[in-house]
Amino acid sequence: SSRRQRVRLTTLGTGTASPSRRVNSGQLVEAGTVTLLMDCGSGVVHRMATLGANWLGITHVALTHFHPDHTLDLTTLLFAWRYGSLPPRAAPLTILGPAGTAALLEQFAAIYGDTVRTPGFPVTVREMAPGERVELGDGVSLEARKVPHTAESVAYCVERRGARLVYTGDTAVDTALAEWAHGCDLLLAECSLPERLAVATHLTPAQCGVLAEVAEPRRLVLTHFYPPVEEEDIREIISLRYSGEIVLAVDGWFTDIEER
């Protein structure tokens, strides 16, 4: 029912720029009458269809940053709503993201045409300043926080009636992010690369362990796996610092967070 007393997370796409059995980033949050898609990388739209997810019912899309593995399927989704369903979508849509989101859509429109800009239903683009909190409706709020990855990158916190989910998007080590996420019900964190391939813009399992140690979420759910990191014993590395439940998400995994 639309008055459901839980927030449901489905990890639609748990992969990266590296092709694998996992499609690119996409996270679906259903809370009350709000259906929020966070990120929309390649493969996410067709993955929703194979999972039976409610792609037609999405009310909000929020982008963490503008890398193609987080944004390329936005055009696919807009075209699906316009040409892939009869009757075409009529319900309004809100697209949220950091400064530059409107320009990104303009660039997509320059390539693919006006359907991207005017798909036949009302589209509102809402650029969020870091630290800004937006009410999405039905008691659901979305808050953005700057994270170190690209110039625009943000993490998001989704809250409804005491249920709190934090999604890191792509990030490097950031103690302030961990403190911001402190005590959340579910921390959905990127876990990109093993220590031997560590880079300055992503997290390793050990760094995820530090993040979770400081943030102390009720549950740590990991996503954004490059294939080499899956050769590691991710759970064992993280459990050296974090004693809570650790989930290595796959495409189509879902869970419910109870509201209070």
Side-chain angles (χ1 to χ4, degrees):
S1 88
S2 65
R3 305 303 299 171
R4 43 166 139 17
Q5 301 304 298
R6 51 154 184 85
V7 173
R8 173 164 287 190
L9 167 69
T10 305
T11 55
L12 301 168
T14 56
T16 60
S18 182
S20 73
R21 69 185 185 281
R22 304 170 182 273
V23 302
N24 285 176
S25 294
Q27 322 295 342
L28 192 68
V29 177
E30 296 165 279
T33 56
V34 170
T35 300
L36 166 69
L37 176 64
M38 294 189 291
D39 288 334
C40 192
S42 294
V44 167
V45 174
H46 286 75
R47 181 67 89 214
M48 282 193 277
T50 60
L51 293 170
N54 183 20
W55 63 272
L56 274 169
I58 290 169
T59 56
H60 300 75
V61 176
L63 304 177
T64 59
H65 66 294
F66 306 145
H67 277 162
D69 60 318
H70 294 254
T71 60
L72 263 186
D73 248 15
L74 189 53
T75 303
T76 309
L77 189 54
L78 289 163
F79 268 67
W81 284 327
R82 178 73 176 84
Y83 300 115
S85 68
L86 287 173
R89 179 187 177 117
L93 175 76
T94 302
I95 299 174
L96 304 112
T101 298
L104 179 77
L105 286 162
E106 289 299 320
Q107 288 169 311
F108 280 151
I111 302 168
Y112 297 114
D114 236 23
T115 298
V116 175
R117 197 187 286 100
T118 50
F121 52 88
V123 177
T124 303
V125 178
R126 174 83 184 257
E127 295 190 345
M128 294 175 69
E132 189 174 355
R133 184 181 168 115
V134 175
E135 299 301 323
L136 303 186
D138 202 14
V140 181
S141 71
L142 181 73
E143 187 177 346
R145 189 187 192 290
K146 186 84 196 68
V147 290
H149 177 64
T150 62
E152 76 278 359
S153 292
V154 294
Y156 285 119
C157 175
V158 185
E159 283 188 80
R160 183 175 195 248
R161 293 182 184 164
R164 184 165 171 245
L165 178 160
V166 173
Y167 171 42
T168 65
D170 286 5
T171 188
V173 175
D174 184 10
T175 307
L177 168 66
E179 290 164 352
W180 181 69
H182 188 267
C184 63
D185 294 289
L186 191 153
L187 176 57
L188 178 60
E190 74 125 273
C191 184
S192 292
L193 293 163
E195 214 61 53
R196 64 185 169 84
L197 297 174
V199 295
T201 52
H202 284 295
L203 297 178
T204 65
Q207 291 166 341
C208 288
V210 175
L211 174 70
E213 180 181 39
V214 176
E216 298 184 294
R218 289 191 174 189
R219 196 159 26 153
L220 176 67
V221 180
L222 301 175
T223 185
H224 203 265
F225 302 101
Y226 279 89
V229 81
E230 299 200 63
E231 295 162 21
E232 306 282 297
D233 192 337
I234 296 171
R235 270 196 193 84
E236 186 181 353
I237 294 167
I238 291 174
S239 64
L240 295 172
R241 288 183 174 271
Y242 171 72
S243 57
E245 185 189 348
I246 302 164
V247 176
L248 276 53
V250 294
D251 294 10
W253 179 85
F254 66 90
T255 190
D256 290 332
I257 303 167
E258 295 303 313
E259 296 176 353
R260 309 205 229 298

